Amino acid sequence: MQKVENFSSWVSKWFTVIVIIWAAFNYVLPQTSTWVIPNTSYLLGIILFGMGLTLTTEDFVRISKRPIPVILGTVAHYIIMPGLAWLLCLIFHLKGATAAGVILVGSCPSGTSSSVMAFLAGGDVALDVSIEVLSTLLAPLMLPTLLSVLAGHLVAVPAAQLFLSTFRIVVIPIVLGVLIHTIFSHKLDNILKLMPLISQFAILLIIGAVVSANHANIFTAATALVIPVVMLHNLCGYGLGFAFSKLLGLKEPQQKAITFEVGMQDSSLGATLALKFFGGPAAIPSTIFSIWHNISGSILSSWWKNHSKENLIKED
């Protein structure tokens, strides 16, 4: 088990690089992951089931004891990121499925890797996880609503199907994970040690599937603007998330948590839903977002860790 844990730690350390290499590999050899395309929703279910396994009733008690920062962080996430996506589509004149894909990833809940980035940056991980849980549980309602309002003029949005699919993919695995953790508790210790590695493997398979499905359309004139749009979307999300938390007068660890929770998206969910409901081109923004926010999140967390007030005080 120790060897597996060491390998998991190694994968976590180099995950951003692995994602880039894996995406490039599937771009060159798209047949590698074509078998995964029909199974992305199951893979996402595994990721979210793993998230549920890590949660306990204490996590939900913590949310109830400190609801205001959690609610404000979740509201900020669901206002800033969808609003930015819509605005960027207007500025860059994106149309059709591509624009819908940008708005779709903007309407997703917080990304699962945000808690890792918050931890590395010395942020408030408890607050980060709480916002992540709440935004994810709200996803079946928020995602179809935001898509209908912001992207309904671009593509046909099957709101009812989207709600049911998101509920089935997101909420049911999390609830099952929480129930199993509650029932079996410490008997799951070895499985919990494996879950980060299993989740990372599932994320890689989803990325490979989306790249394979869209390898002919990723670098075309029609999608050339998607890369800068996605990068701006993520970076502006960080900036506005930080400004929002600063405006609230929160302490530095809370500012870091909200910054990552606002700027990082569950792009795996976005890619899965895009493939299922809107076609390949709509999944491209989520794929690029998945690669880019791991890069930007790693850079920001490293910089923040080295330049935080607490660390500078310790050095003095």
Side-chain angles (χ1 to χ4, degrees):
M1 180 57 70
Q2 186 60 48
K3 289 183 179 179
V4 174
E5 288 183 53
N6 291 339
F7 179 66
S8 180
S9 298
W10 181 87
V11 171
S12 297
K13 181 180 179 180
W14 296 102
F15 190 64
T16 300
V17 176
I18 294 169
V19 165
I20 295 170
I21 294 171
W22 180 241
F25 182 80
N26 279 274
Y27 179 76
V28 176
L29 296 171
Q31 65 273 21
T32 305
S33 299
T34 50
W35 64 274
V36 184
I37 296 171
N39 302 304
T40 53
S41 60
Y42 300 113
L43 291 167
L44 190 60
I46 291 170
I47 295 168
L48 292 165
F49 175 73
M51 178 182 173
L53 279 180
T54 65
L55 298 174
T56 65
T57 51
E58 293 176 3
D59 294 305
F60 296 98
V61 171
R62 185 179 64 243
I63 294 174
S64 66
K65 287 181 177 178
R66 294 180 56 203
I68 301 302
V70 178
I71 293 170
L72 289 174
T74 305
V75 169
H77 178 86
Y78 275 124
I79 290 176
I80 290 172
M81 293 307 280
L84 274 175
W86 176 80
L87 184 61
L88 287 168
C89 287
L90 283 181
I91 293 171
F92 286 87
H93 305 289
L94 296 182
K95 304 291 183 183
T98 302
V102 172
I103 294 172
L104 172 58
V105 72
S107 303
C108 284
S110 302
T112 52
S113 54
S114 61
S115 55
V116 177
M117 301 305 173
F119 170 74
L120 293 175
D124 187 336
V125 178
L127 175 59
D128 189 287
V129 172
S130 298
I131 296 171
E132 184 181 322
V133 170
L134 183 57
S135 68
T136 302
L137 291 175
L138 288 173
L141 176 64
M142 296 304 298
L143 216 157
T145 301
L146 289 166
L147 265 181
S148 297
V149 173
L150 300 176
H153 64 292
L154 298 168
V155 292
V157 179
Q161 290 176 277
L162 201 55
F163 170 83
L164 291 172
S165 186
T166 309
F167 185 86
R168 188 166 56 248
I169 293 171
V170 174
V171 177
I172 291 176
I174 290 177
V175 171
L176 282 174
V178 172
L179 287 174
I180 290 174
H181 191 167
T182 302
I183 294 168
F184 295 102
S185 188
H186 296 297
K187 295 178 181 178
L188 299 172
D189 286 348
N190 286 334
I191 295 175
L192 289 175
K193 292 174 183 177
L194 287 173
M195 283 315 300
L197 184 61
I198 293 170
S199 296
Q200 287 164 334
F201 184 66
I203 289 170
L204 286 172
L205 286 176
I206 292 172
I207 290 171
V210 177
V211 172
S212 294
N214 296 285
H215 73 282
N217 300 314
I218 292 177
F219 298 111
T220 63
T223 59
L225 286 173
V226 174
I227 294 175
V229 165
V230 165
M231 292 173 72
L232 279 171
H233 190 192
N234 168 244
L235 295 176
C236 290
Y238 289 150
L240 291 175
F242 176 75
F244 176 78
S245 60
K246 194 87 170 174
L247 190 65
L248 292 176
L250 297 177
K251 295 180 180 179
E252 189 181 83
Q254 288 74 47
Q255 291 172 9
K256 293 174 181 178
I258 290 180
T259 297
F260 285 116
E261 279 301 304
V262 170
M264 301 188 78
Q265 300 296 93
D266 190 347
S267 47
S268 299
L269 175 61
T272 301
L273 294 175
L275 283 175
K276 184 171 184 177
F277 291 104
F278 305 111
I284 293 173
S286 290
T287 305
I288 296 170
F289 204 106
S290 183
I291 296 168
W292 168 249
H293 80 170
N294 277 296
I295 296 171
S296 66
S298 298
I299 293 170
L300 179 58
S301 62
S302 177
W303 184 90
W304 228 333
K305 184 68 175 176
N306 294 326
H307 293 81
S308 67
K309 293 176 182 177
E310 293 176 2
N311 285 346
L312 290 175
I313 291 169
K314 287 178 184 176
E315 289 175 8
D316 291 341

